[in-house]
Amino acid sequence: MANTITILHLYPREMNLYGDHGNILTLVKRCEWRGIKTKVIEHEPGQALPKKIDIIFGGGGQDSGQNKIEADLKKISPELKKLVENGTPTLVICGLYQLFGKSFTTQDQRVIKGANILNLSTTAGEERLIGNIVIKNNQFGQIVGYENHSGLTTLEDKSQAFGEVISGAGNNGEDQTEGCFYKNCIGTYLHGPILPKNPKVADFLIETALKRQNPKFTKLQELDDSVEKAAHKSAANRPR
Ligand code: GLN
């Protein structure tokens, strides 16, 4: 039997848009269905990070929410960076995706400093990019979600995108890139929430966590994903 998987939920109060919290529920349920225990630790500004972290998750937020967490993120960013560099499976959405990069310059020209974990920067554009989005990733296939952001993100140097935009805007509405995939850290604009409708991504996070706990661990038990597949299909067929 696997050890408990400890999930760190970054700033659940300030950073939670369009059902992002559903990603935590998905991780917990998909573990529970397989008899794997989980513990969710919510991190709020001012708290210390726990000693043991198996999965990191953070959602999106308004510019004001991003402002509120800036100082705390600065404090914990060296630890977060170390965890990501060591291969901790991580999922950060929209507002926290932007702040895992170098910085986010808002429409009123305020620069919110990021954790500098992902090699990218973001600047607010004139219009918000809003709507359903479909992307393609080589490992997971088609991924569906919903985006709503003013930020235009540019991947720098050799940063790899999480996916290629099939329909929607993605990082900046121009270069067809969506998100960033670095080591086992996924940064993406996809709300929705992303994990219930894209169970392969959820299982990637869980399986990677288990493999890091026990290098002999090979494969997760299959689940009946018929409902998840139907939800995926219906989201993929929605107009933008
Ligand atoms: N405030 C950021 C932006 O507008 C992030 C929005 C979000 O997380 N949905 O780009």
Side-chain angles (χ1 to χ4, degrees):
M1 172 61 75
N3 288 330
T4 300
I5 293 188
T6 305
I7 303 169
L8 176 74
H9 187 177
L10 292 169
Y11 314 114
R13 261 178 279 158
E14 294 82 2
M15 305 297 284
N16 177 32
L17 288 180
Y18 313 112
D20 285 342
H21 180 68
N23 293 311
I24 292 283
L25 300 179
T26 303
L27 291 172
V28 169
K29 272 290 165 195
R30 294 186 74 80
C31 284
E32 192 186 302
W33 289 331
R34 295 167 165 125
I36 304 163
K37 288 206 183 89
T38 52
K39 182 176 172 188
V40 179
I41 298 181
E42 298 191 340
H43 174 84
E44 288 299 341
Q47 292 175 344
L49 287 181
K51 291 254 160 351
K52 177 182 173 287
I53 298 170
D54 298 304
I55 296 178
I56 301 170
F57 171 74
Q62 294 170 356
D63 297 5
S64 56
Q66 291 171 293
N67 266 323
K68 280 189 201 143
I69 63 158
E70 182 182 11
D72 188 77
L73 186 64
K74 187 176 175 203
K75 259 190 258 160
I76 63 168
S77 59
E79 276 176 86
L80 291 178
K81 193 175 170 76
K82 209 186 283 172
L83 286 160
V84 169
E85 290 293 337
N86 287 341
T88 305
T90 300
L91 174 66
V92 278
I93 314 284
C94 201
L96 265 171
Y97 162 48
Q98 295 170 343
L99 294 189
F100 261 49
K102 292 178 181 164
S103 60
F104 171 41
T105 307
T106 63
Q107 228 142 27
D108 48 15
Q109 296 307 307
R110 193 181 128 64
V111 179
I112 306 176
K113 288 228 175 73
N116 220 343
I117 296 168
L118 301 174
N119 206 0
L120 51 92
S121 13
T122 305
T123 303
E126 312 256 284
E127 280 168 43
R128 296 195 72 82
L129 304 172
I130 307 173
N132 296 311
I133 169 164
V134 180
I135 66 169
K136 201 179 121 207
N137 166 289
N138 290 340
Q139 189 175 341
F140 308 116
Q142 176 176 278
I143 303 173
V144 293
Y146 170 79
E147 62 184 327
N148 184 346
H149 51 109
S150 69
L152 305 175
T153 297
T154 310
L155 300 177
E156 291 169 14
D157 295 334
K158 294 192 182 85
S159 285
Q160 273 199 7
F162 176 48
E164 180 197 336
V165 176
I166 306 296
S167 69
N171 278 335
N172 47 54
E174 295 217 328
D175 65 10
Q176 306 295 111
T177 65
E178 202 298 307
C180 180
F181 204 169
Y182 174 66
K183 302 215 166 174
N184 294 319
C185 175
I186 297 170
T188 176
Y189 273 110
L190 272 61
H191 295 284
I194 180 174
L195 294 184
K197 297 190 283 293
N198 302 285
K200 280 189 189 161
V201 182
D203 284 355
F204 161 76
L205 298 169
I206 298 169
E207 195 167 279
T208 307
L210 292 173
K211 278 185 186 155
R212 292 182 77 249
Q213 282 184 354
N214 172 11
K216 288 198 190 115
F217 181 87
T218 49
K219 225 178 156 340
L220 276 178
Q221 180 196 324
E222 295 280 329
L223 296 174
D224 172 6
D225 281 335
S226 43
V227 173
E228 287 79 358
K229 283 179 187 151
H232 178 107
K233 201 168 157 197
S234 137
N237 291 332
R238 266 183 219 154
R240 164 103 176 132

